[in-house]
Amino acid sequence: MNIIVCLKQVPSTTEVKIDPKTNTLIRQGIKSIVNPLDSYALEESVRLKERYGSRVTAISMGPPQATEMLRDAISSGADDAILLSDIAFAGSDTLATSTTLAKAIVKIKNYDLVICGRQTLDGDTGQVGPEIAEMLGIPFIAYVNKIEEIANGKLRVQRMVEDGYETIETSLPAVITVVKEINVPRMPSLRGLTKAKSAQIPTWTTQEINAEKETVGQAGSATWVVKVFYPQRVQLAEMLKGDPETQAKALVEKLREAKLI
Amino acid sequence: MEYFLTEQQKTLKSLARRIAEEKVLPVRAELDEKEEFPWEIIKTLADSDLFRIFVPEQYDGMGSSSLDLCLVVEELSKVCSGVAVSYAATALGAYAILLYGNEEQKQKYLPAIAAGKRLAAFGLTEPTAGSDVSNIKTTAEKTPEGYVLNGTKQFITNGGEAEIYTIIAVTDKSKGARGASAFIVEKGTPGFTFGKKEKKMGIRSSSTRELIFRNCLIPAENILSKEGMGFVVSMRVLDHSRPGISAQALGIAQGALEAAVDYTRQRVQFDQPLISLPVVQYKLAEMAMQVEAARALVYSVAKTIDSGAKNFTEESAMAKVFASDVAMRVTTDAVQICGGAGYMRDYPLEKMMRDAKITQIYEGSNEVLHSAIAMELRKRKGRRE
Ligand SMILES: Cc1cc2nc3c(=O)[nH]c(=O)nc-3n(C[C@H](O)[C@H](O)[C@@H](O)COP(=O)(O)OP(=O)(O)OC[C@H]3O[C@@H](n4cnc5c(N)ncnc54)[C@H](O)[C@@H]3O)c2cc1C
Ligand SMILES: Cc1cc2nc3c(=O)[nH]c(=O)nc-3n(C[C@H](O)[C@H](O)[C@H](O)COP(=O)(O)OP(=O)(O)OC[C@H]3O[C@@H](n4cnc5c(N)ncnc54)[C@H](O)[C@@H]3O)c2cc1C
């Protein structure tokens, strides 16, 4: 069985700052990390590999620095990694991102399962997984919290829905997105780290994935991020004053006024 | 300081540090409080291949370098030496097999140890035999079915948790020190049970327990080397494992130094951070120098072993005595300069001070090792190449 896991490099949240002049993220000097949910996707791929003897390929669309993240993926159990990187990919929205990833997956050709994180820390749309499935024309299951079994070309999973869990079976190949309840990602291993150090991580450009220039990057995007801004902070809280008794009385009064009690 | 670590050693060190910070730090206080064996962390260490680093490649290991082991033990001990010793005691238990096992024994036991699936332990000490190891009473009687063990081992690290034990027992009373032999005993062997679990001052997450043998029959092929080699095996194993304990002491001292610097930078008295006070500065500088000197000695001894040296009893003892004395002094001073906070369980220093003490006692007390060093000095008339 061949598994493809999609990893995105995102700025570490604790350090993200917005440039007050341009209202865009200041990415310079900010540490990049693997999108946290994607490490669960990777861990699940590696667990499936241990369970079923599959091969795990990690892919990422991003700048050349994302190679380091892909190396980390190898040290945590991925067999190979491919970086999708091209100036032409810059400014991708979810549509263009999914197009690029789907094209790369088609090029990899032999795959049974594609695993993505539920959503990212920065873009946060949760659209890439389902869009890839749509483009590949294969089944999709979101919010998977447990992979029950893979047998006879079928996958059975449990997924989280608002009021409980659903068990779903699908034919393979398929795309799933996972939630953090699915596992606890492991630490890298020394063997993995050694392997990762010398691993060849190829870079695929628009040409390698056989994509049309108009379908990727800004050109292939249906949306543009025009402006990123913090909503203005408005102080709406009213602090009640006085000793506890006075405060309690005032609070009850307020709640009555608001017809809440 | 530049210690000329290889790329692989740097990788190993940073992996061990990451595990210590991400997996050990959040639970160390709880493990200490509950005196709970750190199984989950042991599993992480195993999955990260850290049990492979003291086992040769042909037995599923990744080499067997003393310095590699020291680097991992140091990093773990910076955060929690109870965890570190639970890990290192498996190396101690495995050394007897590594150094004296025959091919079948190595094939049978080492791969599971390297994978971290089975922990090991080393049982020499008895109620009547601490520093005076020659006074062990546990016997191994040869019978047509194999050896029958009777007796009690005391204070055995990883007791109860480990599955593979190296046990020293008397096979021939009449021969005195040449009458002891080393055996491999597996947990679950009928007649082999565990006694009291000790309640300790420090390294409380580690398990220290009695091993009880009552007509415990083991196969004759479980003997390591041959009859009469028990003490030779023990002494050689301890020569090899002492750098690990030195690294434990070194890690504790380094951890205490870091905690003391952090605290004295923040704590303000008389309108200035403590670290601005000359007395505190002097103490911190002394601590830092001692820690670095200990590191230089420990690493040098480990490298000496890795270079293939034949006899390193003296060097190994020096590293252990020096580093453990440094650990005790540095942790005591660290508590002192952090005042009441240093004494409180909300901060890590009191634990480090409690943990440091054991490093002066086990694997040969520092007093006994001073004698060992002096004996070597006498042999070589104090001269050095
Ligand atoms: C602040 C901000 C706002 C944005 N708003 C919009 C918007 O409104 N509309 C729009 O179309 N785009 C928007 N984008 C751009 C878009 O979100 C990302 O650039 C797009 O590349 C991926 O979408 P996502 O990050 O939301 O991923 P999600 O759909 O949340 O990601 C789900 C999973 O898909 C996989 N994945 C996602 N990206 C990659 C990748 N590059 N390589 C490998 N795997 C990946 C991962 O497994 C991930 O866990 C915005 C970006 C930012 C930074
Ligand atoms: C937490 C813990 C874990 C341990 N783990 C193991 C283990 O895994 N395996 C194992 O086999 N053992 C283990 N031990 C035993 C340990 O090695 C012994 O405790 C140690 O060797 C000292 O022996 P003792 O406790 O009997 O002290 P004693 O021998 O009674 O010594 C008491 C004091 O007298 C001093 N003294 C004794 N003889 C001399 C001498 N000739 N000259 C100068 N001073 C002397 C000692 O230095 C010490 O200060 C462990 C002990 C502890 C506390």
Side-chain angles (χ1 to χ4, degrees), chain A residues 6-8 27 35 38 59-61 92-94 97 101 116-120 122-129 223 225 228:
Chain A
C6 300
L7 309 176
K8 183 183 183 186
R27 287 187 189 253
N35 177 45
D38 298 357
I59 63 172
S60 182
M61 180 189 83
S92 294
D93 70 351
T94 64
T97 301
L101 292 170
C116 294
R118 186 193 64 190
Q119 67 202 103
T120 60
D122 57 349
D124 198 28
T125 66
Q127 293 173 10
V128 172
T223 57
V225 180
V228 181

Side-chain angles (χ1 to χ4, degrees), chain A residues 187-191 194 197, chain B residues 8 11 15 22 48-49 60:
Chain A
M187 285 281 159
S189 70
L190 193 59
R191 280 178 172 174
T194 312
K197 214 163 265 172
Chain B
Q8 179 78 358
T11 305
L15 175 62
E22 290 180 30
S48 296
D49 296 329
D60 294 353

Side-chain angles (χ1 to χ4, degrees), chain B residues 253-275:
Chain B
Q254 176 69 36
L257 173 65
E258 288 173 15
V261 171
D262 283 349
Y263 183 80
T264 53
R265 272 164 52 116
Q266 281 160 22
R267 170 73 173 171
V268 174
Q269 287 293 280
F270 304 104
D271 296 328
Q272 56 182 331
L274 287 179
I275 201 166

Side-chain angles (χ1 to χ4, degrees), chain B residues 117-297:
Chain B
K117 287 197 183 112
R118 305 180 84 192
L119 299 187
F122 180 72
L124 170 62
T125 305
E126 295 185 11
T128 56
S131 301
D132 183 9
V133 291
S134 67
N135 200 32
I136 59 168
K137 304 282 186 219
T138 297
T139 54
E141 190 192 340
K142 190 156 194 186
T143 68
E145 292 78 40
Y147 288 94
V148 177
L149 270 62
N150 274 294
T152 300
K153 294 287 171 186
Q154 176 182 265
F155 299 165
I156 306 307
T157 305
N158 278 357
E161 312 295 338
E163 293 190 35
I164 301 165
Y165 295 80
T166 301
I167 301 299
I168 311 299
V170 176
T171 38
D172 187 347
K173 254 184 225 152
S174 67
K175 288 197 177 141
R178 288 181 198 283
S181 308
F183 299 93
I184 302 169
V185 186
E186 293 186 54
K187 182 178 176 174
T189 309
F192 175 23
T193 55
F194 303 102
K196 184 170 70 150
K197 190 178 170 205
E198 305 294 342
K199 294 195 163 177
K200 306 189 291 293
M201 173 188 200
I203 55 165
R204 288 170 50 162
S205 63
S206 74
S207 159
T208 312
R209 228 169 144 177
E210 270 178 354
L211 314 180
I212 301 167
F213 301 97
R214 293 281 174 273
N215 293 323
C216 171
L217 174 71
I218 58 167
E221 73 245 26
N222 282 21
I223 190 164
L224 281 160
S225 183
K226 52 184 200 282
E227 279 192 19
M229 288 289 282
F231 287 123
V232 174
V233 171
S234 301
M235 293 308 119
R236 194 82 186 138
V237 162
L238 291 169
D239 283 349
H240 270 87
S241 68
R242 270 180 204 123
I245 296 303
S246 321
Q248 182 194 3
L250 168 62
I252 298 171
Q254 176 69 36
L257 173 65
E258 288 173 15
V261 171
D262 283 349
Y263 183 80
T264 53
R265 272 164 52 116
Q266 281 160 22
R267 170 73 173 171
V268 174
Q269 287 293 280
F270 304 104
D271 296 328
Q272 56 182 331
L274 287 179
I275 201 166
S276 305
L277 301 171
V279 182
V280 171
Q281 291 183 345
Y282 187 88
K283 271 227 163 85
L284 284 171
E286 280 288 317
M287 286 157 72
M289 285 187 279
Q290 290 176 31
V291 171
E292 210 52 58
R295 182 172 290 115
L297 179 57

